[in-house]
Amino acid sequence: MVTPTILRFQVWLVQLDPTQGSEINKTRPCVVISPNELSALSIVLMAPMTTKGFEFPCRVACTFKNKQGLILLDQIRAVDKTRLVSKLGVIDEATQIELCLRLQELFAY
């Protein structure tokens, strides 16, 4: 099996189940947040997307495929690449910049 190249800011449909507690579930779009240098690993850092929910400082508002939604940085997880179903596209540049700024804020010392 050929492993696809997985790059930062791509959006993939990801099988997130099984989950526990308040973890976001289902098969849903997720944004790759791990740096491209980590693409050689068998796991990838992802942030799930939703069209529901509420705004919060660690959530990035975005429009993807003509749908308004949120990127949930409070639900970041490492997923095995076998959970990736299909590539859906890439978030726009303005959202990429906002995502990076929020990640810096989230992990600032």
Side-chain angles (χ1 to χ4, degrees), residues 24 26 28 48-55 59 68-72:
I24 196 160
K26 303 191 310 185
R28 68 174 59 246
M49 300 172 79
T50 186
T51 56
K52 300 193 175 17
F54 55 92
E55 291 192 22
R59 295 179 175 188
Q68 294 285 83
L70 298 166
I71 301 169
L72 308 178

Side-chain angles (χ1 to χ4, degrees), residues 40-85:
L41 300 176
S42 61
I43 55 100
V44 61
L45 296 175
M46 310 287 288
M49 300 172 79
T50 186
T51 56
K52 300 193 175 17
F54 55 92
E55 291 192 22
F56 202 67
C58 59
R59 295 179 175 188
V60 179
C62 69
T63 302
F64 183 73
K65 301 252 181 190
N66 296 317
K67 289 187 178 179
Q68 294 285 83
L70 298 166
I71 301 169
L72 308 178
L73 298 181
D74 55 309
Q75 292 276 342
I76 291 172
R77 67 176 73 178
V79 298
D80 191 276
K81 288 180 181 176
T82 60
R83 289 184 177 267
L84 278 59
V85 177

